[in-house]
Amino acid sequence: MRRVLRALPLVFCAACCSPEQEPTPSPANSVNLVSLERGVQSGITTAGARAARTESEWSSLWADHASIYLPPPALPAVDFGVHTAVFVSLGTRATGGYSLTVEVARVEGGQLVLDARETAPPEGAILTQALTAPYEIVLVPRTTLPIEARIAR
């Protein structure tokens, strides 16, 4: 019985922390959205969205993102026959405490719009005094549409 109780938190954590997430439910003109990775440190420090539609584009995007790490993390596998990978960034922030979550992807006016939300640290919070670059990488169904990120604060 004790072994079961000890293993239960690990099972719960694995279920909650798995990198593959269910698609985000959204409005009728939405497209499926799966989070591949989210973090606060990236070599890409400009705000906005950047799409990778081919293995070559993905390799270049990942090299830019991972340029701050030694050794760089392995390139995640993406099936570009099925998906487009989109890197969404807040740009550089002067402290820790910021995060970014892409909430919905939808087709609007001939483009793919990603609605994202910035979370800022609360007033008076004790923060890491280091530059950060919050980002999220999402997979959407393969598309050739222009991509725009709209970040709500």
Side-chain angles (χ1 to χ4, degrees):
M1 178 70 165
R2 286 186 179 187
R3 287 184 188 186
V4 170
L5 292 176
R6 284 187 202 149
L8 192 56
L10 294 175
V11 170
F12 178 72
C13 183
C16 293
C17 302
S18 97
E20 290 286 330
Q21 297 177 0
E22 290 298 314
T24 305
S26 47
N29 60 343
S30 69
V31 297
N32 287 336
L33 170 71
V34 177
S35 180
L36 183 63
E37 181 175 300
R38 181 182 303 140
V40 296
Q41 296 294 337
S42 177
I44 300 173
T45 58
T46 54
R50 186 169 154 191
R53 294 177 171 91
T54 65
E55 190 66 38
S56 175
E57 290 175 348
W58 177 231
S59 184
S60 175
L61 187 154
W62 187 259
D64 292 345
H65 163 63
S67 65
I68 61 169
Y69 297 102
L70 287 175
L75 178 72
V78 175
D79 181 351
F80 290 100
V82 177
H83 294 109
T84 294
V86 184
F87 185 96
V88 182
S89 174
L90 283 179
T92 302
R93 297 294 184 258
T95 67
Y98 291 88
S99 65
L100 175 74
T101 304
V102 178
E103 298 175 331
V104 175
R106 66 189 187 316
V107 176
E108 179 183 292
Q111 64 182 358
L112 181 65
V113 176
L114 301 177
D115 291 323
R117 179 158 311 280
E118 174 183 6
T119 301
E123 183 88 21
I126 297 172
L127 303 169
T128 304
Q129 298 301 301
L131 297 177
T132 59
Y135 69 92
E136 184 169 10
I137 303 170
V138 297
L139 300 178
V140 295
R142 184 183 171 127
T143 183
T144 58
L145 293 174
I147 296 175
E148 176 186 354
R150 296 181 184 165
I151 301 171
R153 292 176 164 69

